Amino acid sequence: MIGQPLYRINLLASERTTLEALIRQQTTPQHLAKRARIILLANGEAATNRAISDQLGVTQAQVTTWTKRWIERAMEPLADRLADWPRSGRPDTITAEQWCQILALACELPAQYGRPITHWTSRELAEEVIRQGIVERISAGHLRKALKKKDLQPHRSRYWLNAKADERKDERIAELCDVYQRIPGIADEIAFSVDEATGIQAL
């Protein structure tokens, strides 16, 4: 039913705080503030799409569009998740699963992939991402910004993720992403992420 919340959202406390601050800012464009309100109202076991559309004066299709986009662009900066698709060129179609593969690669040593360097540069990493077929194309600048947002620095190789490469890495990433994508649509179920390295945030 179109009135039901098709895409359930579970906001982090930091995301909720940022969205609320965005709405309060007088300089925030009205269309961005409205999108932020859609996400806040769709959080958790919130109102149906119909209730949200009635409250904000938008269509149910708009509610679906922005909740869906919020989930699909989970690895991107908050501002980008509320922004329109670029009007020129191809839109960013990198999925959450692909970002997981890219971030995992950034935490491995370049030498493992036959590159005669000790530390990744944004250009070398972008080339390797494309060579492995993770994505068709990605610029070094886009990749550098994404890594910065996740507080990853490829030029520093001493990470706890520098273990022996897991032969089932891609399979495990696909399984985890599938769980995160399915859980929001399942009523009365909660997913917990447990990290054995308790002093490090699980990015």
Side-chain angles (χ1 to χ4, degrees):
M1 294 176 61
I2 193 169
Q4 297 302 314
L6 303 180
Y7 298 94
R8 292 191 180 277
I9 293 173
N10 295 302
L11 292 174
L12 299 174
S14 58
E15 292 175 330
R16 185 168 57 251
T17 299
T18 301
L19 288 171
E20 290 171 346
L22 187 68
I23 292 171
R24 289 195 300 269
Q25 290 176 3
Q26 295 183 352
T27 56
T28 300
Q30 185 176 0
H31 69 281
L32 290 182
K34 185 165 290 187
R35 293 168 188 175
R37 289 189 176 94
I38 288 174
I39 300 305
L40 287 170
L41 290 174
N43 184 40
E45 301 295 326
T48 64
N49 286 8
R50 179 173 294 127
I52 295 173
S53 68
D54 290 344
Q55 181 172 340
L56 298 180
V58 298
T59 66
Q60 293 181 51
Q62 286 176 300
V63 176
T64 297
T65 293
W66 291 106
T67 52
K68 180 175 184 287
R69 188 171 298 182
W70 182 266
I71 294 171
E72 289 179 341
R73 305 182 75 178
M75 300 297 294
E76 300 180 34
L78 186 147
D80 291 348
R81 297 162 79 179
L82 297 177
D84 292 316
W85 290 116
R87 294 186 180 277
S88 60
R90 294 180 57 187
D92 187 358
T93 56
I94 300 177
T95 65
E97 182 175 341
Q98 288 171 318
W99 275 120
C100 285
Q101 292 175 310
I102 291 171
L103 295 177
L105 178 60
C107 292
E108 296 177 357
L109 295 173
Q112 293 179 258
Y113 300 95
R115 293 187 174 265
I117 53 176
T118 57
H119 306 84
W120 287 114
T121 64
S122 298
R123 181 181 61 80
E124 293 272 4
L125 184 57
E127 289 177 356
E128 185 62 29
V129 166
I130 295 170
R131 188 191 71 79
Q132 291 192 20
I134 297 176
V135 295
E136 290 184 6
R137 63 179 184 177
I138 185 172
S139 69
H142 186 185
L143 184 55
R144 181 169 55 253
K145 290 178 182 178
L147 294 176
K148 185 177 180 180
K149 289 291 183 181
K150 297 302 174 186
D151 196 27
L152 287 177
Q153 303 174 54
H155 61 280
R156 298 179 60 195
S157 62
R158 292 179 60 83
Y159 285 104
W160 65 278
L161 284 176
N162 288 144
K164 184 178 179 180
D166 185 352
E167 295 179 354
R168 295 183 58 207
K169 178 183 68 177
D170 292 342
E171 179 184 345
R172 296 182 195 279
I173 288 175
E175 290 175 353
L176 288 172
C177 288
D178 180 61
V179 170
Y180 280 119
Q181 289 171 353
R182 285 190 295 105
I183 284 297
I186 302 176
D188 303 322
E189 289 202 16
I190 299 175
F192 289 93
S193 175
V194 181
D195 184 358
E196 63 181 9
T198 56
I200 302 175
Q201 181 183 6
L203 298 178

